[in-house]
Amino acid sequence: MMLRGITLLWALVSLTQQAPSQDKCVCEFENSQNIFPREKLSTVEEGASKCNSDITPQQTLDLEILLLGLKRRLPQLEGDVSILEKEDDGDLYGVVSLQVVENELLEIRQLLDRLNSTSRRYQRLTVDATKQLEDLKEEMEEMEMFDTLQVVKGQQDNQRLKRDLDQCRHDLQPSIHPTRRPERADCPHGDFKNISGPRVYTAGEYPGSYIYGAWGQDPKPEVGKEDWYWVVMLTSGNKFSNYVRRYSSLSSLVIGKSVPGNTLIHTANPTTNTIQGPNAVLYGEALYYNCYNQDAVCRFNLTAKTVINLKLPPGTRYNSKSNFCHLDECYHFTDMDLMTDESGVWVVYTTTQDHGNIVLSKMTDGEELRLTQTWHTSVYKQGVTNTFMICGVLYATRYVDKTIEEIFYSFDTMTGVERFDIGVFITKMTPNIYSLNYSPVDQMLHVYSNAKILSYKVIFS
Ligand SMILES: *[C@@H]1O[C@H](CO)[C@@H](O)[C@H](O)[C@H]1NC(C)=O
Ligand SMILES: *[C@@H]1O[C@H](CO)[C@@H](O)[C@H](O)[C@H]1NC(C)=O
Ligand SMILES: *[C@@H]1O[C@H](CO)[C@@H](O)[C@H](O)[C@H]1NC(C)=O
């Protein structure tokens, strides 16, 4: 550009060529205008390249990562919207996909907010850069005066440079720093960060026979049963069961040798207070599950072989009215999800007055059975595929494709803070996760998925 400036500068100068004498030639220059500010031009050029080298490498890397995230999100949103458009109005799946699309829009908005933001660490730099860029712009405008004289023909260059400078300044606009959750004292492992690949993967004792089910380890076992595992398979129409099957170790579960065998709730299946749906958990030698044909949680005491039940609040949806779903399928009889964490037993469900959004309640695990506290979330139950609790925080998953499930949502019962941007992916071996529960004993997620038994290690920071 400087070279061009100098070349064009010659046009400013009127050249007078005198008639040649015999042996020499004399040229006379006469400058009719102001001298082109060459120094200024170099300063601007230096400034602009300094802006590039000083600022952008530190900032644009983050921006590029975020942009890449956006680029991936948008086609997915587009796909889901077109699915939504194809569906009938008022149809259940229409509502579900609308929810999925809404979740995606929320994530995209969060990405945009993050794009717009720079950390406080860079704020000082930003102020300096803005001043510097304003000076540069002013000088560029001064130089534009020469344009009237056709000296700086490179107006396009100017404009390009100006646009780059504006862009540079725009990208550096400061914003609010995201707030961090305070450290919690009751969580011994730190914050939830990620999930390992599958650690246990087995077809169990009855390969392929029972599509729906649940399995795990009692977080509060009786003495001598610390290594025991339990399995509940929905043996009647993939919907109901009337017993818990137990194994004295993980290896006996994997090879399919059930030594303690079954503990029967009732000889009939299904009948009053037997198991409905796959989301059961064992805690303190008692099985917690959705009672057959009731808006209630049952607790089966494996020692006394007695069942008590607890009716959930009026309006609670049951009998496959508010299941876990993805776009192609709802998992029948998943109206309620029983869960364990470090602090005991929890239940996820929804009610008519909550418009189908997830309600979370903490339960007692002593002699009596009651709800101790309840939280209302803004995530639509039929827009998620499963939930689990870690350290008093509820996490929800959604189906991405046959091989990937995403943990996308969290609700912190201590702070009431909801997040839709968790973005932790579970690598699946089979498409549908019918039950998902966290074991505080070994920090594993236990998964029952299309007749397969799997576990994943939870990674904390
Ligand atoms: C970017 O952040 C600033 C400061 O928080 C805010 O005023 C502005 O509206 C944001 N711009 C966009 C496009 O979100
Ligand atoms: C989580 O773990 C997977 C595989 O183990 C890895 O590819 C991914 O980058 C991790 N994600 C985060 C947020 O650490
Ligand atoms: C189960 O029954 C046994 C024997 O009656 C009793 O000691 C125990 O406390 C009961 N467990 C629960 C959780 O109620």
Side-chain angles (χ1 to χ4, degrees):
M1 176 163 174
M2 196 152 78
L3 203 71
R4 162 117 62 132
I6 295 163
T7 316
L8 292 167
L9 191 60
W10 283 90
L12 249 188
V13 175
S14 63
L15 177 76
T16 320
Q17 197 179 13
Q18 295 187 334
S21 65
Q22 289 103 334
D23 57 352
K24 62 180 177 182
C25 181
V26 178
C27 291
E28 198 178 285
F29 289 97
E30 196 182 298
N31 192 352
S32 63
Q33 296 291 338
N34 294 333
I35 293 186
F36 183 78
R38 270 180 52 199
E39 282 76 19
K40 233 174 203 175
L41 184 61
S42 344
T43 314
V44 172
E45 276 189 336
E46 263 167 39
S49 77
K50 193 166 180 297
C51 172
N52 278 334
S53 63
D54 279 3
I55 301 152
T56 51
Q58 296 162 43
Q59 295 282 313
T60 51
L61 194 65
D62 287 345
L63 293 171
E64 270 167 22
I65 290 166
L66 288 167
L67 279 170
L68 197 66
L70 260 184
K71 225 160 107 182
R72 296 222 179 106
R73 277 264 159 250
L74 290 173
Q76 195 181 339
L77 177 69
E78 209 178 324
D80 288 339
V81 167
S82 71
I83 290 171
L84 178 67
E85 280 168 354
K86 278 186 220 125
E87 285 161 356
D88 293 333
D89 283 345
D91 185 60
L92 165 72
Y93 294 102
V95 179
V96 174
S97 34
L98 182 62
Q99 181 73 19
V100 169
V101 168
E102 270 176 11
N103 288 343
E104 260 158 27
L105 278 175
L106 197 77
E107 274 182 35
I108 286 168
R109 213 180 62 211
Q110 277 158 351
L111 270 176
L112 285 173
D113 286 348
R114 271 159 63 195
L115 260 179
N116 186 22
S117 74
T118 44
S119 73
R120 237 173 267 140
R121 202 147 48 90
Y122 289 123
Q123 225 158 340
R124 174 91 198 106
L125 185 58
T126 306
V127 172
D128 288 351
T130 307
K131 170 85 179 71
Q132 201 183 335
L133 295 176
E134 240 137 40
D135 290 350
L136 292 182
K137 199 177 161 200
E138 216 170 86
E139 283 169 9
M140 286 308 295
E141 274 161 7
E142 258 177 55
M143 276 185 281
E144 267 178 3
M145 290 183 340
F146 288 90
D147 198 32
T148 55
L149 306 164
Q150 304 283 309
V151 172
V152 184
K153 260 277 194 211
Q155 199 179 26
Q156 286 165 342
D157 285 347
N158 271 352
Q159 239 145 33
R160 200 177 316 128
L161 184 57
K162 258 171 68 188
R163 206 165 50 230
D164 288 351
L165 295 177
D166 283 347
Q167 183 68 41
C168 186
R169 190 171 46 196
H170 177 78
D171 287 350
L172 289 170
Q173 270 179 14
S175 180
I176 313 132
H177 209 63
T179 49
R180 271 188 59 81
R181 192 161 58 79
E183 299 296 323
R184 54 177 66 239
D186 62 336
C187 197
H189 310 292
D191 284 337
F192 168 77
K193 188 165 163 246
N194 205 348
I195 300 288
S196 74
R199 288 288 162 85
V200 171
Y201 176 53
T202 174
E205 198 177 352
Y206 307 100
S209 295
Y210 304 110
I211 304 298
Y212 281 75
W215 76 289
Q217 204 176 7
D218 186 345
K220 203 177 129 193
E222 276 185 349
V223 176
K225 296 181 180 172
E226 290 84 356
D227 295 332
W228 285 27
Y229 283 80
W230 59 271
V231 178
V232 166
M233 292 158 282
L234 301 187
T235 48
S236 170
N238 288 330
K239 293 170 186 161
F240 314 112
S241 182
N242 59 342
Y243 68 90
V244 194
R245 192 158 176 82
R246 297 217 276 177
Y247 300 84
S248 58
S249 68
L250 186 59
S251 46
S252 63
L253 183 148
V254 170
I255 61 167
K257 211 155 186 66
S258 170
V259 173
N262 296 346
T263 308
L264 207 61
I265 300 168
H266 196 281
T267 48
N269 181 26
T271 187
T272 312
N273 288 350
T274 55
I275 303 165
Q276 170 166 298
N279 288 308
V281 290
L282 192 72
Y283 188 89
E285 198 67 4
L287 189 77
Y288 294 75
Y289 54 91
N290 179 191
C291 322
Y292 166 65
N293 196 28
Q294 290 180 69
D295 51 350
V297 171
C298 274
R299 185 175 71 192
F300 172 58
N301 184 328
L302 273 78
T303 312
K305 306 216 168 27
T306 51
V307 186
I308 52 172
N309 74 27
L310 167 70
K311 214 170 146 57
L312 292 180
T316 293
R317 314 266 294 158
Y318 69 111
N319 278 350
S320 253
K321 298 248 174 48
S322 286
N323 290 322
F324 289 133
C325 300
H326 57 82
L327 291 180
D328 298 328
E329 188 178 343
C330 282
Y331 305 154
H332 55 223
F333 295 100
T334 53
D335 304 273
M336 282 163 220
D337 187 10
L338 280 300
M339 305 170 289
T340 56
D341 77 347
E342 285 77 1
S343 66
V345 184
W346 304 76
V347 58
V348 147
Y349 54 103
T350 185
T351 70
T352 310
Q353 57 273 22
D354 284 281
H355 308 292
N357 288 343
I358 281 181
V359 179
L360 171 69
S361 293
K362 185 82 202 327
M363 301 177 70
T364 53
D365 53 67
E367 284 295 307
E368 57 163 352
L369 184 61
R370 60 185 167 81
L371 304 181
T372 55
Q373 207 179 340
T374 294
W375 294 264
H376 301 265
T377 74
S378 64
V379 67
Y380 189 56
K381 185 161 180 296
Q382 285 167 279
V384 313
T385 48
N386 229 302
T387 55
F388 60 91
M389 292 292 297
I390 301 177
C391 269
V393 179
L394 176 76
Y395 294 91
T397 58
R398 67 176 174 197
Y399 183 98
V400 175
D401 60 36
K402 283 194 169 74
T403 61
I404 303 285
E405 198 88 356
E406 181 185 1
I407 301 166
F408 75 102
Y409 170 85
S410 73
F411 180 90
D412 189 330
T413 57
M414 283 226 319
T415 61
V417 171
E418 281 187 301
R419 284 179 56 186
F420 284 82
D421 63 348
I422 303 300
V424 168
F425 297 93
I426 302 175
T427 307
K428 292 184 286 189
M429 307 301 282
T430 44
N432 294 325
I433 295 179
Y434 296 127
S435 89
L436 174 62
N437 188 47
Y438 169 71
S439 164
V441 180
D442 51 6
Q443 294 80 53
M444 300 292 269
L445 282 182
H446 291 140
V447 166
Y448 195 103
S449 169
N450 302 86
K452 294 293 197 298
I453 285 167
L454 295 98
S455 71
Y456 299 82
K457 184 89 186 159
V458 176
I459 298 157
F460 295 92
S461 58

